[in-house]
């Protein structure tokens, strides 16, 4: 079931936006980690929580796709920030991850 879900995320859904990550986040993703807000450098598009977004390397190439835990507006507000700062910034306690590894397909 997990592999079918990841195939669905990775190939059958249209992306509604993109998150550009830094080199540290890129390395962590390659090792199977979740994408944390601290590693996000730019947010593109207009998407809602649960939408598929493309994850881009610093050079702009697509490295992953995943279901985002935050809408675009909130993602922009927490991009580059530590997970423990999310509640203070947004006014509610969201997920620590921008995209949890279970919702992420690395290419």
């Amino acid at each position: 079931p997990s592999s079918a879900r990841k195939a669905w995320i990775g190939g059958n859904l249209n992306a509604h936006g993109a998150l550009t990550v830094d080199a540290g986040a890129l390395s962590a993703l390659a090792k199977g980690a979740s994408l944390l807000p601290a590693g996000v450098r730019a947010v593109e598009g207009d998407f809602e929580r649960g939408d598929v977004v493309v994850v881009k390397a610093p050079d702009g190439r697509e490295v992953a796709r995943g279901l985002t835990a935050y809408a675009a507006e909130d993602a922009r507000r927490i991009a580059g920030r530590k997970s423990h700062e999310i509640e203070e910034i947004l006014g509610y306690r969201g997920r620590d991850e921008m995209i949890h590894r279970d919702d992420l397909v690395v290419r």
Side-chain angles (χ1 to χ4, degrees):
S2 175
S3 61
R5 184 170 189 275
K6 289 209 174 196
W8 172 71
I9 292 169
N12 296 325
L13 298 175
N14 292 327
H16 294 278
L19 304 173
T20 301
V21 299
D22 62 20
L26 186 62
S27 176
L29 292 176
K31 296 174 185 170
S34 296
L35 176 60
L36 302 177
V40 177
R41 293 294 164 247
V43 178
E44 302 169 37
D46 184 25
F47 51 87
E48 296 299 322
R49 181 178 187 267
D51 283 346
V52 172
V53 294
V54 170
V55 179
K56 295 181 181 180
D59 64 7
R61 67 189 161 86
E62 181 177 335
V63 295
R65 284 180 177 239
L67 302 176
T68 181
Y70 293 95
E73 182 180 331
D74 288 346
R76 286 184 183 92
R77 292 174 63 196
I78 64 173
R81 306 298 287 270
K82 301 288 184 188
S83 295
H84 67 83
E85 297 175 288
I86 293 171
E87 185 172 11
E88 181 180 327
I89 295 166
L90 299 180
Y92 67 90
R93 180 74 184 135
R95 292 182 76 166
D96 287 345
E97 308 87 7
M98 188 79 78
I99 304 176
H100 191 277
R101 67 182 179 198
D102 292 346
D103 297 328
L104 186 69
V105 178
V106 179
R107 306 235 179 234

